[in-house]
Amino acid sequence: MAKLWGGRFEGQADALVEALGQSVSLDARLAPWDIRGSIAHARMLGTCGIIPRRDAQKIIAGLNQIAKDIADGAFVFEPALEDVHTNIESALVKRIGDAGKRLHTGRSRNDQIALDVRLWLRDQIDAVLAQLRALQRALLDMAEAHIGVILPGCTHLQHAQPVLLAHHLLAYVEMLERDYERFSQVQARVNVLPLGSAALAGTPYPIDREMVARELGFPRVSRNSMDAVADRDHLIEFCAGAALCMMHLSRWCEELILWSTPEYGFIEIGDAFTTGSSIMPQKKNPDVAELVRGKTGRVYGSLLTLLTIMKGLPLTYNRDLQEDKEPLFDASDTLQLCLAVLTRMTPEIAVHAGRMQEAAREGFMEATDIADYLAARGLPFREAHEIVGKMVRYCIEQGKRLPDLTPGEFGRFSPLFQRDVLKQLTLHGIVSKRNQAGGTAPARVRTALRKARRFIDKTGK
Ligand code: ARG
């Protein structure tokens, strides 16, 4: 097999080396960004008089043509040409001749790939930020549509205290808000121009890096050429952000899966987002939620792959770095697909408010409030806790709920109980009392919803 860059070689490459070394089957998708970077580089080379202006113009026209062919699907990428960079450069030389051979002046594939990935990742992060906002909006819509609905709040998956469904949903809006912040912070570190670092040490050509940075919209240029070609921190940070975000989505999906079982019966997910069974005609399975939960593992895998690739690499570029694309692309594609599908599924979730409310009456969730009632009348909380524990045991024995107890029965457990105790034990009453900042009281939750909506609209992409 003919060798690329074969000037110094006598021998041919082994046939397996292409299979091992080609990356174009993956990195061809970087072509539009690769071409943008090359156009900026060529324009700068021409402006700075490093190559003839006419050649720069020819290069730019040729690259635009290639970009069009790629967009039309009329461009054939060849694995023998290894990667996206060499495929495009050799197509350019074929089309415009010798001028094309001047494009690679003052740069290396090492700073070129570093640039391509930064340009690509910047766009992916913009897309992810917009998708996060869209999912937050869908959750806010759901919360607003069911503002009065109460369901059991759980710890240990056991009924703990009643909460508003809207409060529960706002918890996910918060998680997604942290994801939004994290990706915005990664974006700031992605947004640095590495081009001009050349192979590793910089270049002797009188290039104008600031000009390239301006054309490509980078607020600054990298400060150290060795770091710039060897750094993959931003890929790892992106995958870490993606892993965290997927973890949030996975937790939400786990709840949706539980809630749609007949045992819970809290929700029904619409037909477009559920599937049947090949053998059991009655089934309606929450596959979408399960797949998102399952794909979370893939994204964790990508993060670990990248960390492992990097841990033993000496400065600067090593070919191992070519292996960074597959996990990065996969993490980004998976995250974006999952965010998109959940955003579309959310309005298709029917809430069975009656079932939620009914469930909230089970499990003695009034217990804390009865203990608080006694504590408010002077009993130390620990003693109140003990008394109410006995009341719960009594209820279990009698097959009663706490609010079913008569004033006489209350009186048997403590003389501090007055008639008003029962009035305080409605679900609505219990929820309404949690009215400190961050609590589930309806007034608090309505304010939280309004604030979240305003903030998201103000900062939405
Ligand atoms: N395809 C390579 C990569 O993705 C581009 C850089 C190649 N540089 C090199 N010195 N072989 O990492």
Side-chain angles (χ1 to χ4, degrees), residues 5 21 23 27 82-85 108-110 113 232 317-325:
W5 336 115
S23 61
D27 64 23
E82 212 172 275
D83 56 22
V84 62
H85 322 298
S108 149
R109 280 187 301 163
N110 297 351
I113 187 62
R232 297 294 183 272
Y317 182 86
N318 300 270
R319 191 64 182 277
D320 318 43
L321 291 178
Q322 183 166 288
E323 290 295 308
D324 65 359
K325 260 73 110 223

Side-chain angles (χ1 to χ4, degrees), residues 362 364 389-406 408-410 412-413:
E362 301 295 336
F364 311 103
K390 290 195 174 119
M391 294 174 73
V392 169
R393 202 173 61 213
Y394 175 80
C395 283
I396 293 170
E397 284 160 11
Q398 300 290 313
K400 289 185 168 187
R401 299 169 174 179
L402 285 163
D404 298 338
L405 297 181
T406 62
E409 285 171 308
F410 270 100
R412 256 187 265 158
F413 289 93

Side-chain angles (χ1 to χ4, degrees), residues 29-52:
R29 68 188 284 177
L30 293 177
W33 292 270
D34 187 76
I35 289 173
R36 252 189 94 194
S38 288
I39 288 175
H41 182 65
R43 200 184 326 275
M44 179 278 290
L45 291 176
T47 305
C48 295
I50 298 168
I51 65 173

Side-chain angles (χ1 to χ4, degrees), residues 281-336:
Q282 83 282 13
K283 295 273 278 181
K284 186 170 183 189
N285 294 327
D287 289 32
V288 167
E290 293 170 283
L291 283 163
V292 171
R293 189 178 59 182
K295 281 176 189 291
T296 302
R298 285 170 72 134
V299 177
Y300 292 2
S302 293
L303 172 61
L304 224 41
T305 302
L306 283 172
L307 284 166
T308 311
I309 289 170
M310 296 306 293
K311 74 180 276 290
L313 296 187
L315 291 182
T316 51
Y317 182 86
N318 300 270
R319 191 64 182 277
D320 318 43
L321 291 178
Q322 183 166 288
E323 290 295 308
D324 65 359
K325 260 73 110 223
E326 196 163 14
L328 175 67
F329 293 165
D330 194 70
S332 172
D333 293 346
T334 304
L335 175 65
Q336 292 188 50

Side-chain angles (χ1 to χ4, degrees), residues 18-29:
E18 179 187 310
L20 182 72
Q22 75 80 23
S23 61
V24 72
S25 56
L26 287 167
D27 64 23
R29 68 188 284 177

